[in-house]
Every structure is written in C-alpha cells, then in structure tokens.
Amino acid sequence: MSKTIQINPFNRVEGDLEIIVEVKDGIVQNAMSKGVMFRGFEIMLKGRDPMDAIVFTPRICGICGASHGLASATALRNAWRCEMPDNAYLVGNIVIAIENLMGHIIQFYVLFAPDLTNKKYASYPDYSEIIKRFFPFKGTSYLKAIQARPSMLELMGVFAGKWPNTLVFQPGGVTNSISMSRQTKAIGLLREIQDYIELSLIGCSIDRWLDNKSLHDLEQWLGEAEHYNSDMGTYIRYARALGLDTIGKGPGKFISYGAYEQPDNGTLFAAGYYDNGFYPFEQEKILEYIKYSFLKGYSGGLHPSEGITEPDPDKEGAYSWSKSPRYDNNVVETGPLARMILDNDPLIYDLFTKLGPSVFLRVLARLHEVVRLVRQLGIWLRGIDVRKPFYKKPKIPAETKGVGIIEAARGTLGHWISISDNRIKRCQIITPTAWNLSPKDSFDQHGPCEHALNGTSIEDEDNPIEVGHVVRSFDPCLVCTVHTIKL
C-alpha cells in the first residue's frame, strides 16, 4: 500500500519549498522537490548597464548576497579581462569566508539541529542532552550560536562595509581599503569567533581538531572527555546512533569549481568533478534542462551562456520553477561535502571512502569546513599589505562575454553574462540549490536531493522526520533559486 506525503511549506529552509514523496511499504519512491516561486533576475537585467548586475544580483538572497556580488563582479572581470591587486583577492576571500561561516553555523544550529529534538527520538539515552542543547530558542548551544553572530557581522562590516547587499566587489578589485587599525580590529574580532568555535563547537583547539585525518583519529578524538561533550562530539555520537549515517546517500557524484581564488589563478580548495575518481572541472560540460520546469523556450539542454528563462506557469508535466542543471549529463551534488571530497581533505575523504555519503557526513563536512575557514581567515587577515592598492581601474569593451563561478556556502554558484553595445544582452545564474534541489531532467533522472530521498525508510508516516533530515542536510536556499510566486 502506498501513501503520498506532501510537505508544504517545508519549513526551516531559506525560501519556499514543497516536498512530495510517495511512500510504499515504508520506503520513499519518486520524491519530488518543488520550487514554488519563479526567479526573474535574468529577465530584469536584460538591457541594463553591465555594472547594474553587481547592484541587482546581491538582492537575489539575503543570506549569500556577497557570493552573488562576487560572482557577478568576477563575470565582468573575466569579460573585461581586468587585472586585480593581490589585496583584492584577500578581501574577497575574507568576505566570502565570513559569509559562508555565518551560513554554516546558522544552518546547523537553527535549521538542521532542531530536527534532532523530534519526539521520535525521546527514548534515546542522550535525548535530554539534545533537548538541552538544540531545542529552538531555548537550547544552550542554539543560543550561543545566535550570541556569536554579532562578532561575525562586525567582522563582515570591516571588509564589506555593509551586509547584506554589499557593493564591495568590483571588476578591478574592491572598494574598501583596509587600514592598519582596521586590520588589527579584524584580528581581535576573529579571536572572539575562534574562542566560540573552540569552546562550544569542538571543545579543543582548532589545530587539535584538524589533526584528525581519518575515522580512526576521529574515534580517538571522541574518547577524550572535553571532545565527547562538545557540540561536535555530541552531534557525531547522536547522529550515528539515530542512523543518519545510513540515509541520504545521493548520486555519489560531486562538483566544485574550487573555492577562494588566489592571485596565481589557483584556488585554496581544489576544483574538480568526482565520479569514482577525480577529474578536472570543465564549465563547458554544464547544461540546463527544463522538461519538468515551469519554463519554455527550448528542448534538450542548453549551456548557461546560451540560457533562456521564459516562464510558462501552465506547462503540462512541470512541477518546479527551478531548472535542472547537469554536469556532462550527470546528476551531481555540490556543497561543503563536495568541496571537502574534491579538495581531498584527509578526514572527510577517509570517512567518505569508508562510510559513503550520507546525511551525517554532509553535515559533518559543513562543520569541518567551519573550522578550516576560521584558521584560514587568520592567515588572510595577516596577509593584507595595507600599503598596497586594493583596486585597479579596468578598460571596458562594448562587446564581450564572461563567466564568474565561485563556491558559495551551499556550493557552486555561476553567473554567465554577455554584453552588446555596453548593455547586458543575456544573463544566466545557476545557484547551488538549483543543482541540489533540481527537478528531474530530460532523461527523467531525479535531482540530487530527490535521489537522496528515494529509498529512505520512513518509520512513521505521520511524522516523516527522515525526510526533514535528508532535505535539510543539503541546506536548500530557494530564495536563490526562485523569486516570484506562482498564482
């Protein structure tokens, strides 16, 4: 006997999402991820001055607006073939790292962890401790995460000027020159953030956590009392006890454009495509499909540089406003887990090879990235040379095109732009959630989250908490993916 479960709205995610799953004999089949609003930024930008893209696109999302600003500025920088000072790379990386850090912390404590307090788990020995730490608005760790946010926002203000909707990113660099006093202030604010991470999240020094290179190391780390009782230790123990390491596998294929661009054209975190082995990332292999999207204009797949975004709310067979991006026609996952795998991070990659992808590992990779970013922020902050420039004025051609692909908190974010007669002729944006929460494509392949849901066991159809774990492990952000409600 089968039952259809419709969750609408799917709460505690960014934006509007509907999830529909068919459950037969307790197993999810034919999951559907439905973006219920249309994003029209590609249409709004047509015919405008190219620099308007830097103003408009950060408004796509109040959570990762800086990432959109950087992707847009990078697309123009590549289109105009601008040079950029080393300081600008550092400031750009700092701003995005802070934004990603804030996103990861809030995602875990405010969006994901409250599901661990679900009544289904009341019989587990550690349940009272989970309630104490993670219960919404009252949990001790929940509140500490909120209280740590002002230091992160103040640090963001030092470099971005304001957030969200910063205009710090420009094709030739950044608009905010950092003085020695501001650099010193930033180092002090980072110390406050580091104290929070070390005392609350991991219960040890950052260096001690990063000494964990394998599953064996992680088990040894858990054996030490201060680690065992940290938020990280509590999550690791409890999530495995609940079986979160056995659900939400996903397609098992991953992409990352490479995070945090360096002046030598390399990236801090390696780029690539993973499919039972490591391969180079080639943006030419990206295609977007719209068979099940409320969009018209083409059949088959189009590269985003030739993308068409024309709404068709009455399209037969469609069920989402999101397109279906694919890499070499493969369903791929993006995000912190993808970044850590493709960077060959010793701990996450060892867990991946031994345990496979799962809800548990997807969330752990996000928290692990937090620790790595805090350490790297200290290196970047001290690397700024306040005596050197932060911006170089570009020469602007009238006809050109460019692409800006970066790694936002939730994964690979791409902006493609073509310019004619000093006006935007075409713009296409693919967000991380468009990858991860996409509907089926022209080959009827389910999107990554749908794929991860299919095959999931549901113990209580009236309390399908397993669906919540899987979906929230991807940290969906539908405001990035869709923008105008379907009437």
Side-chain angles (χ1 to χ4, degrees):
M1 183 176 179
S2 63
K3 177 180 180 178
T4 299
I5 299 176
Q6 181 180 13
I7 307 175
N8 182 27
F10 193 98
N11 63 7
R12 272 187 290 113
V13 298
E14 298 295 339
D16 298 275
L17 172 66
E18 180 179 352
I19 295 291
I20 298 177
V21 295
E22 295 177 14
V23 181
K24 184 176 182 180
D25 299 325
I27 305 296
V28 171
Q29 301 180 9
N30 193 30
M32 300 174 70
S33 168
K34 304 177 69 173
V36 299
M37 300 174 73
F38 167 64
R39 185 187 74 210
F41 273 77
E42 291 93 343
I43 298 172
M44 296 180 211
L45 285 168
K46 285 184 179 179
R48 293 186 174 271
D49 187 291
M51 289 294 287
D52 284 350
I54 297 175
V55 179
F56 274 55
T57 57
R59 271 79 177 170
I60 287 176
C61 179
I63 303 300
C64 52
S67 297
H68 281 284
L70 178 59
S72 184
T74 302
L76 290 176
R77 170 160 57 91
N78 290 332
W80 294 340
R81 295 175 175 81
C82 305
E83 295 181 8
M84 197 165 74
D86 289 358
N87 276 338
Y89 287 97
L90 290 171
V91 171
N93 289 338
I94 289 167
V95 170
I96 299 305
I98 298 167
E99 183 172 83
N100 291 355
L101 175 66
M102 290 194 296
H104 290 345
I105 293 294
I106 292 301
Q107 197 279 333
F108 177 70
Y109 286 100
V110 178
L111 306 181
F112 180 83
D115 276 346
L116 303 177
T117 70
N118 189 273
K119 62 183 181 179
K120 173 185 174 180
Y121 306 127
S123 62
Y124 281 77
D126 290 333
Y127 185 71
S128 61
E129 181 64 23
I130 296 300
I131 292 291
K132 176 184 175 183
R133 289 175 186 254
F134 300 131
F135 196 79
F137 305 109
K138 295 181 179 180
T140 55
S141 297
Y142 184 105
L143 292 174
K144 285 179 182 178
I146 301 299
Q147 291 161 358
R149 191 169 174 84
S151 294
M152 302 178 195
L153 287 169
E154 191 173 357
L155 182 58
M156 174 68 84
V158 171
F159 292 94
K162 66 169 184 171
W163 184 90
N165 303 331
T166 179
L167 296 177
V168 69
F169 301 117
Q170 301 291 312
V174 293
T175 60
N176 190 359
S177 298
I178 305 300
S179 65
M180 187 173 294
S181 62
R182 290 169 70 84
Q183 185 180 33
T184 302
K185 178 182 179 179
I187 292 170
L189 289 167
L190 180 63
R191 181 67 251 182
E192 294 177 11
I193 297 167
Q194 183 173 334
D195 286 345
Y196 161 70
I197 295 299
E198 293 182 334
L199 295 174
S200 296
L201 178 60
I202 56 179
C204 64
S205 70
I206 285 175
D207 288 342
R208 174 65 187 91
W209 168 260
L210 294 178
D211 282 341
N212 294 324
K213 308 293 185 184
S214 66
L215 177 59
H216 175 73
D217 290 347
L218 188 63
E219 298 291 0
Q220 285 194 322
W221 180 86
L222 277 172
E224 301 171 23
E226 63 271 27
H227 307 157
Y228 185 90
N229 293 318
S230 66
D231 286 347
M232 184 79 87
T234 301
Y235 167 71
I236 292 169
R237 291 183 288 107
Y238 192 68
R240 291 194 291 180
L242 301 184
L244 300 191
D245 55 344
T246 66
I247 64 172
K249 179 179 179 180
K253 301 175 183 179
F254 303 89
I255 61 164
S256 172
Y257 184 70
Y260 307 108
E261 186 179 2
Q262 307 296 298
D264 62 0
N265 295 321
T267 52
L268 176 68
F269 296 165
Y273 166 56
Y274 182 89
D275 180 7
N276 292 315
F278 295 91
Y279 303 92
F281 180 94
E282 302 174 64
Q283 67 96 8
E284 296 82 5
K285 292 185 176 180
I286 298 173
L287 294 176
E288 292 183 291
Y289 294 90
I290 59 171
K291 180 179 179 180
Y292 292 95
S293 308
F294 292 111
L295 300 167
K296 62 184 177 181
Y298 63 95
S299 59
L302 276 183
H303 186 269
S305 64
E306 301 297 328
I308 299 172
T309 302
E310 295 185 17
D312 185 4
D314 300 315
K315 183 175 176 179
E316 186 176 352
Y319 64 90
S320 178
W321 282 100
S322 174
K323 294 182 180 181
S324 301
R326 297 293 184 260
Y327 184 84
D328 202 18
N329 290 328
N330 291 302
V331 178
V332 295
E333 177 180 337
T334 189
L337 177 57
R339 282 195 289 271
M340 294 299 99
I341 289 172
L342 286 159
D343 195 47
N344 204 5
D345 179 90
L347 175 61
I348 300 302
Y349 188 66
D350 187 68
L351 292 171
F352 170 70
T353 57
K354 291 175 178 174
L355 305 177
S358 64
V359 168
F360 163 73
L361 188 57
R362 197 169 289 121
V363 174
L364 181 63
R366 184 172 290 113
L367 295 176
H368 179 68
E369 185 172 79
V370 164
V371 184
R372 288 189 62 177
L373 287 178
V374 171
R375 184 173 73 171
Q376 186 62 40
L377 275 167
I379 297 171
W380 284 329
L381 288 176
R382 292 171 175 85
I384 293 174
D385 188 340
V386 299
R387 299 163 298 179
K388 293 184 177 180
F390 290 78
Y391 176 80
K392 185 174 183 178
K393 187 175 181 179
K395 296 180 180 179
I396 301 176
E399 310 279 337
T400 188
K401 59 183 178 179
V403 56
I405 310 180
I406 68 164
E407 286 291 314
R410 294 163 177 85
T412 302
L413 167 65
H415 286 215
W416 286 260
I417 192 168
S418 61
I419 299 166
S420 179
D421 195 23
N422 290 311
R423 294 288 166 178
I424 296 173
K425 180 180 180 182
R426 186 192 306 270
C427 176
Q428 183 62 46
I429 299 165
I430 303 182
T431 66
T433 296
W435 286 102
N436 287 335
L437 274 289
S438 62
K440 292 189 292 185
D441 56 32
S442 294
F443 310 103
D444 285 345
Q445 299 178 112
H446 285 278
C449 185
E450 294 177 337
H451 193 290
L453 284 166
N454 289 334
T456 301
S457 296
I458 304 297
E459 185 174 311
D460 180 357
E461 294 176 359
D462 293 324
N463 180 27
I465 189 61
E466 298 87 353
V467 173
H469 291 319
V470 173
V471 175
R472 292 192 183 94
S473 74
F474 284 94
D475 190 14
C477 183
L478 274 297
V479 291
C480 265
T481 302
V482 290
H483 282 132
T484 304
I485 193 163
K486 177 180 181 292
L487 299 176

PDB file of all heavy atoms in Angstrom, residues 147-173:
ATOM      1  N   GLN A 147      24.295  34.223  19.803  1.00  0.00           N
ATOM      2  CA  GLN A 147      25.089  35.238  20.505  1.00  0.00           C
ATOM      3  C   GLN A 147      26.461  35.444  19.862  1.00  0.00           C
ATOM      4  O   GLN A 147      27.071  36.508  20.025  1.00  0.00           O
ATOM      5  CB  GLN A 147      25.239  34.838  21.977  1.00  0.00           C
ATOM      6  CG  GLN A 147      23.933  34.916  22.750  1.00  0.00           C
ATOM      7  CD  GLN A 147      23.940  34.103  24.039  1.00  0.00           C
ATOM      8  OE1 GLN A 147      24.939  33.434  24.355  1.00  0.00           O
ATOM      9  NE2 GLN A 147      22.838  34.119  24.759  1.00  0.00           N
ATOM     10  N   ALA A 148      26.960  34.438  19.147  1.00  0.00           N
ATOM     11  CA  ALA A 148      28.256  34.568  18.474  1.00  0.00           C
ATOM     12  C   ALA A 148      28.151  35.353  17.172  1.00  0.00           C
ATOM     13  O   ALA A 148      29.163  35.825  16.640  1.00  0.00           O
ATOM     14  CB  ALA A 148      28.838  33.183  18.195  1.00  0.00           C
ATOM     15  N   ARG A 149      26.950  35.512  16.678  1.00  0.00           N
ATOM     16  CA  ARG A 149      26.762  36.130  15.363  1.00  0.00           C
ATOM     17  C   ARG A 149      27.199  37.595  15.290  1.00  0.00           C
ATOM     18  O   ARG A 149      27.761  38.017  14.267  1.00  0.00           O
ATOM     19  CB  ARG A 149      25.301  35.977  14.930  1.00  0.00           C
ATOM     20  CG  ARG A 149      25.037  36.332  13.475  1.00  0.00           C
ATOM     21  CD  ARG A 149      23.641  35.892  13.069  1.00  0.00           C
ATOM     22  NE  ARG A 149      23.289  36.332  11.735  1.00  0.00           N
ATOM     23  CZ  ARG A 149      23.610  35.701  10.608  1.00  0.00           C
ATOM     24  NH1 ARG A 149      24.318  34.581  10.682  1.00  0.00           N
ATOM     25  NH2 ARG A 149      23.247  36.165   9.439  1.00  0.00           N
ATOM     26  N   PRO A 150      26.972  38.425  16.321  1.00  0.00           N
ATOM     27  CA  PRO A 150      27.405  39.832  16.208  1.00  0.00           C
ATOM     28  C   PRO A 150      28.886  40.003  15.894  1.00  0.00           C
ATOM     29  O   PRO A 150      29.261  40.902  15.128  1.00  0.00           O
ATOM     30  CB  PRO A 150      27.040  40.406  17.578  1.00  0.00           C
ATOM     31  CG  PRO A 150      25.873  39.597  18.021  1.00  0.00           C
ATOM     32  CD  PRO A 150      26.163  38.208  17.534  1.00  0.00           C
ATOM     33  N   SER A 151      29.753  39.168  16.462  1.00  0.00           N
ATOM     34  CA  SER A 151      31.189  39.280  16.153  1.00  0.00           C
ATOM     35  C   SER A 151      31.437  38.980  14.681  1.00  0.00           C
ATOM     36  O   SER A 151      32.292  39.606  14.039  1.00  0.00           O
ATOM     37  CB  SER A 151      31.991  38.322  17.029  1.00  0.00           C
ATOM     38  OG  SER A 151      31.919  38.687  18.387  1.00  0.00           O
ATOM     39  N   MET A 152      30.712  38.015  14.138  1.00  0.00           N
ATOM     40  CA  MET A 152      30.864  37.681  12.724  1.00  0.00           C
ATOM     41  C   MET A 152      30.370  38.823  11.851  1.00  0.00           C
ATOM     42  O   MET A 152      31.000  39.190  10.848  1.00  0.00           O
ATOM     43  CB  MET A 152      30.099  36.391  12.404  1.00  0.00           C
ATOM     44  CG  MET A 152      30.539  35.189  13.222  1.00  0.00           C
ATOM     45  SD  MET A 152      29.549  33.710  12.834  1.00  0.00           S
ATOM     46  CE  MET A 152      29.975  32.653  14.228  1.00  0.00           C
ATOM     47  N   LEU A 153      29.233  39.417  12.234  1.00  0.00           N
ATOM     48  CA  LEU A 153      28.693  40.534  11.460  1.00  0.00           C
ATOM     49  C   LEU A 153      29.609  41.757  11.532  1.00  0.00           C
ATOM     50  O   LEU A 153      29.783  42.472  10.538  1.00  0.00           O
ATOM     51  CB  LEU A 153      27.297  40.890  11.974  1.00  0.00           C
ATOM     52  CG  LEU A 153      26.183  39.900  11.620  1.00  0.00           C
ATOM     53  CD1 LEU A 153      24.925  40.218  12.413  1.00  0.00           C
ATOM     54  CD2 LEU A 153      25.893  39.921  10.125  1.00  0.00           C
ATOM     55  N   GLU A 154      30.186  41.997  12.705  1.00  0.00           N
ATOM     56  CA  GLU A 154      31.094  43.134  12.834  1.00  0.00           C
ATOM     57  C   GLU A 154      32.351  42.924  12.002  1.00  0.00           C
ATOM     58  O   GLU A 154      32.857  43.854  11.356  1.00  0.00           O
ATOM     59  CB  GLU A 154      31.450  43.358  14.302  1.00  0.00           C
ATOM     60  CG  GLU A 154      32.175  44.675  14.547  1.00  0.00           C
ATOM     61  CD  GLU A 154      32.376  44.996  16.016  1.00  0.00           C
ATOM     62  OE1 GLU A 154      31.897  44.223  16.871  1.00  0.00           O
ATOM     63  OE2 GLU A 154      33.025  46.017  16.303  1.00  0.00           O
ATOM     64  N   LEU A 155      32.844  41.686  11.995  1.00  0.00           N
ATOM     65  CA  LEU A 155      33.997  41.378  11.151  1.00  0.00           C
ATOM     66  C   LEU A 155      33.640  41.552   9.681  1.00  0.00           C
ATOM     67  O   LEU A 155      34.433  42.085   8.892  1.00  0.00           O
ATOM     68  CB  LEU A 155      34.472  39.952  11.420  1.00  0.00           C
ATOM     69  CG  LEU A 155      35.703  39.475  10.643  1.00  0.00           C
ATOM     70  CD1 LEU A 155      36.913  40.375  10.908  1.00  0.00           C
ATOM     71  CD2 LEU A 155      36.040  38.018  10.983  1.00  0.00           C
ATOM     72  N   MET A 156      32.444  41.134   9.294  1.00  0.00           N
ATOM     73  CA  MET A 156      31.991  41.342   7.923  1.00  0.00           C
ATOM     74  C   MET A 156      31.963  42.836   7.603  1.00  0.00           C
ATOM     75  O   MET A 156      32.397  43.264   6.518  1.00  0.00           O
ATOM     76  CB  MET A 156      30.601  40.737   7.737  1.00  0.00           C
ATOM     77  CG  MET A 156      29.972  41.013   6.375  1.00  0.00           C
ATOM     78  SD  MET A 156      30.799  40.170   5.012  1.00  0.00           S
ATOM     79  CE  MET A 156      29.983  38.571   5.107  1.00  0.00           C
ATOM     80  N   GLY A 157      31.499  43.656   8.543  1.00  0.00           N
ATOM     81  CA  GLY A 157      31.413  45.090   8.299  1.00  0.00           C
ATOM     82  C   GLY A 157      32.759  45.738   8.051  1.00  0.00           C
ATOM     83  O   GLY A 157      32.864  46.694   7.279  1.00  0.00           O
ATOM     84  N   VAL A 158      33.803  45.221   8.676  1.00  0.00           N
ATOM     85  CA  VAL A 158      35.146  45.771   8.470  1.00  0.00           C
ATOM     86  C   VAL A 158      35.539  45.678   7.006  1.00  0.00           C
ATOM     87  O   VAL A 158      36.164  46.600   6.455  1.00  0.00           O
ATOM     88  CB  VAL A 158      36.175  45.031   9.347  1.00  0.00           C
ATOM     89  CG1 VAL A 158      37.602  45.453   8.981  1.00  0.00           C
ATOM     90  CG2 VAL A 158      35.909  45.297  10.824  1.00  0.00           C
ATOM     91  N   PHE A 159      35.154  44.593   6.347  1.00  0.00           N
ATOM     92  CA  PHE A 159      35.623  44.346   4.979  1.00  0.00           C
ATOM     93  C   PHE A 159      34.564  44.621   3.908  1.00  0.00           C
ATOM     94  O   PHE A 159      34.899  45.031   2.800  1.00  0.00           O
ATOM     95  CB  PHE A 159      36.107  42.901   4.857  1.00  0.00           C
ATOM     96  CG  PHE A 159      37.348  42.639   5.643  1.00  0.00           C
ATOM     97  CD1 PHE A 159      37.293  42.129   6.931  1.00  0.00           C
ATOM     98  CD2 PHE A 159      38.598  42.944   5.119  1.00  0.00           C
ATOM     99  CE1 PHE A 159      38.436  41.903   7.669  1.00  0.00           C
ATOM    100  CE2 PHE A 159      39.753  42.743   5.845  1.00  0.00           C
ATOM    101  CZ  PHE A 159      39.678  42.223   7.129  1.00  0.00           C
ATOM    102  N   ALA A 160      33.290  44.388   4.231  1.00  0.00           N
ATOM    103  CA  ALA A 160      32.244  44.537   3.221  1.00  0.00           C
ATOM    104  C   ALA A 160      31.545  45.885   3.302  1.00  0.00           C
ATOM    105  O   ALA A 160      30.790  46.239   2.401  1.00  0.00           O
ATOM    106  CB  ALA A 160      31.221  43.407   3.359  1.00  0.00           C
ATOM    107  N   GLY A 161      31.787  46.651   4.375  1.00  0.00           N
ATOM    108  CA  GLY A 161      31.110  47.927   4.529  1.00  0.00           C
ATOM    109  C   GLY A 161      29.712  47.757   5.065  1.00  0.00           C
ATOM    110  O   GLY A 161      29.331  48.342   6.070  1.00  0.00           O
ATOM    111  N   LYS A 162      28.911  46.937   4.415  1.00  0.00           N
ATOM    112  CA  LYS A 162      27.593  46.575   4.912  1.00  0.00           C
ATOM    113  C   LYS A 162      27.283  45.173   4.406  1.00  0.00           C
ATOM    114  O   LYS A 162      27.904  44.658   3.464  1.00  0.00           O
ATOM    115  CB  LYS A 162      26.526  47.550   4.430  1.00  0.00           C
ATOM    116  CG  LYS A 162      26.284  47.524   2.912  1.00  0.00           C
ATOM    117  CD  LYS A 162      25.044  48.307   2.541  1.00  0.00           C
ATOM    118  CE  LYS A 162      24.750  48.195   1.039  1.00  0.00           C
ATOM    119  NZ  LYS A 162      23.433  48.760   0.694  1.00  0.00           N
ATOM    120  N   TRP A 163      26.333  44.560   5.052  1.00  0.00           N
ATOM    121  CA  TRP A 163      25.878  43.213   4.664  1.00  0.00           C
ATOM    122  C   TRP A 163      24.484  43.020   5.214  1.00  0.00           C
ATOM    123  O   TRP A 163      24.245  43.339   6.376  1.00  0.00           O
ATOM    124  CB  TRP A 163      26.832  42.143   5.217  1.00  0.00           C
ATOM    125  CG  TRP A 163      26.479  40.753   4.786  1.00  0.00           C
ATOM    126  CD1 TRP A 163      26.923  40.105   3.663  1.00  0.00           C
ATOM    127  CD2 TRP A 163      25.621  39.831   5.452  1.00  0.00           C
ATOM    128  NE1 TRP A 163      26.382  38.835   3.590  1.00  0.00           N
ATOM    129  CE2 TRP A 163      25.576  38.650   4.681  1.00  0.00           C
ATOM    130  CE3 TRP A 163      24.853  39.867   6.623  1.00  0.00           C
ATOM    131  CZ2 TRP A 163      24.806  37.537   5.040  1.00  0.00           C
ATOM    132  CZ3 TRP A 163      24.097  38.778   6.980  1.00  0.00           C
ATOM    133  CH2 TRP A 163      24.078  37.621   6.201  1.00  0.00           C
ATOM    134  N   PRO A 164      23.513  42.559   4.425  1.00  0.00           N
ATOM    135  CA  PRO A 164      23.675  42.098   3.042  1.00  0.00           C
ATOM    136  C   PRO A 164      23.729  43.250   2.045  1.00  0.00           C
ATOM    137  O   PRO A 164      23.732  44.414   2.437  1.00  0.00           O
ATOM    138  CB  PRO A 164      22.423  41.240   2.826  1.00  0.00           C
ATOM    139  CG  PRO A 164      21.400  41.849   3.728  1.00  0.00           C
ATOM    140  CD  PRO A 164      22.151  42.321   4.943  1.00  0.00           C
ATOM    141  N   ASN A 165      23.779  42.890   0.780  1.00  0.00           N
ATOM    142  CA  ASN A 165      23.763  43.835  -0.348  1.00  0.00           C
ATOM    143  C   ASN A 165      24.999  44.715  -0.397  1.00  0.00           C
ATOM    144  O   ASN A 165      24.931  45.889  -0.745  1.00  0.00           O
ATOM    145  CB  ASN A 165      22.493  44.694  -0.326  1.00  0.00           C
ATOM    146  CG  ASN A 165      21.223  43.874  -0.338  1.00  0.00           C
ATOM    147  OD1 ASN A 165      21.199  42.765  -0.879  1.00  0.00           O
ATOM    148  ND2 ASN A 165      20.170  44.390   0.262  1.00  0.00           N
ATOM    149  N   THR A 166      26.139  44.129  -0.062  1.00  0.00           N
ATOM    150  CA  THR A 166      27.389  44.870  -0.163  1.00  0.00           C
ATOM    151  C   THR A 166      27.730  45.181  -1.610  1.00  0.00           C
ATOM    152  O   THR A 166      27.415  44.412  -2.519  1.00  0.00           O
ATOM    153  CB  THR A 166      28.539  44.088   0.483  1.00  0.00           C
ATOM    154  OG1 THR A 166      29.754  44.841   0.337  1.00  0.00           O
ATOM    155  CG2 THR A 166      28.746  42.730  -0.176  1.00  0.00           C
ATOM    156  N   LEU A 167      28.384  46.319  -1.802  1.00  0.00           N
ATOM    157  CA  LEU A 167      28.899  46.692  -3.123  1.00  0.00           C
ATOM    158  C   LEU A 167      30.421  46.713  -3.116  1.00  0.00           C
ATOM    159  O   LEU A 167      31.046  47.392  -3.927  1.00  0.00           O
ATOM    160  CB  LEU A 167      28.345  48.052  -3.539  1.00  0.00           C
ATOM    161  CG  LEU A 167      26.822  48.133  -3.737  1.00  0.00           C
ATOM    162  CD1 LEU A 167      26.402  49.556  -4.074  1.00  0.00           C
ATOM    163  CD2 LEU A 167      26.379  47.175  -4.834  1.00  0.00           C
ATOM    164  N   VAL A 168      31.020  45.967  -2.204  1.00  0.00           N
ATOM    165  CA  VAL A 168      32.475  45.988  -2.082  1.00  0.00           C
ATOM    166  C   VAL A 168      33.171  45.413  -3.308  1.00  0.00           C
ATOM    167  O   VAL A 168      34.283  45.810  -3.655  1.00  0.00           O
ATOM    168  CB  VAL A 168      32.926  45.245  -0.802  1.00  0.00           C
ATOM    169  CG1 VAL A 168      32.674  43.742  -0.903  1.00  0.00           C
ATOM    170  CG2 VAL A 168      34.381  45.535  -0.484  1.00  0.00           C
ATOM    171  N   PHE A 169      32.516  44.478  -4.015  1.00  0.00           N
ATOM    172  CA  PHE A 169      33.164  43.805  -5.140  1.00  0.00           C
ATOM    173  C   PHE A 169      32.983  44.579  -6.437  1.00  0.00           C
ATOM    174  O   PHE A 169      31.867  44.977  -6.792  1.00  0.00           O
ATOM    175  CB  PHE A 169      32.600  42.391  -5.321  1.00  0.00           C
ATOM    176  CG  PHE A 169      32.786  41.520  -4.109  1.00  0.00           C
ATOM    177  CD1 PHE A 169      31.691  41.019  -3.419  1.00  0.00           C
ATOM    178  CD2 PHE A 169      34.051  41.194  -3.662  1.00  0.00           C
ATOM    179  CE1 PHE A 169      31.859  40.225  -2.305  1.00  0.00           C
ATOM    180  CE2 PHE A 169      34.238  40.406  -2.546  1.00  0.00           C
ATOM    181  CZ  PHE A 169      33.139  39.914  -1.860  1.00  0.00           C
ATOM    182  N   GLN A 170      34.099  44.806  -7.134  1.00  0.00           N
ATOM    183  CA  GLN A 170      34.109  45.480  -8.421  1.00  0.00           C
ATOM    184  C   GLN A 170      34.983  44.664  -9.368  1.00  0.00           C
ATOM    185  O   GLN A 170      35.831  43.881  -8.931  1.00  0.00           O
ATOM    186  CB  GLN A 170      34.669  46.896  -8.268  1.00  0.00           C
ATOM    187  CG  GLN A 170      33.895  47.773  -7.305  1.00  0.00           C
ATOM    188  CD  GLN A 170      32.523  48.143  -7.814  1.00  0.00           C
ATOM    189  OE1 GLN A 170      32.370  48.571  -8.955  1.00  0.00           O
ATOM    190  NE2 GLN A 170      31.503  47.955  -6.974  1.00  0.00           N
ATOM    191  N   PRO A 171      34.810  44.837 -10.688  1.00  0.00           N
ATOM    192  CA  PRO A 171      35.614  44.041 -11.625  1.00  0.00           C
ATOM    193  C   PRO A 171      37.119  44.211 -11.450  1.00  0.00           C
ATOM    194  O   PRO A 171      37.886  43.284 -11.713  1.00  0.00           O
ATOM    195  CB  PRO A 171      35.147  44.552 -12.998  1.00  0.00           C
ATOM    196  CG  PRO A 171      33.759  45.050 -12.755  1.00  0.00           C
ATOM    197  CD  PRO A 171      33.775  45.619 -11.379  1.00  0.00           C
ATOM    198  N   GLY A 172      37.568  45.389 -10.980  1.00  0.00           N
ATOM    199  CA  GLY A 172      39.001  45.617 -10.823  1.00  0.00           C
ATOM    200  C   GLY A 172      39.513  45.484  -9.407  1.00  0.00           C
ATOM    201  O   GLY A 172      40.661  45.836  -9.130  1.00  0.00           O
ATOM    202  N   GLY A 173      38.680  44.976  -8.494  1.00  0.00           N
ATOM    203  CA  GLY A 173      39.134  44.830  -7.120  1.00  0.00           C
ATOM    204  C   GLY A 173      38.009  45.035  -6.133  1.00  0.00           C
ATOM    205  O   GLY A 173      36.877  44.598  -6.357  1.00  0.00           O
TER     206      GLY A 173
END
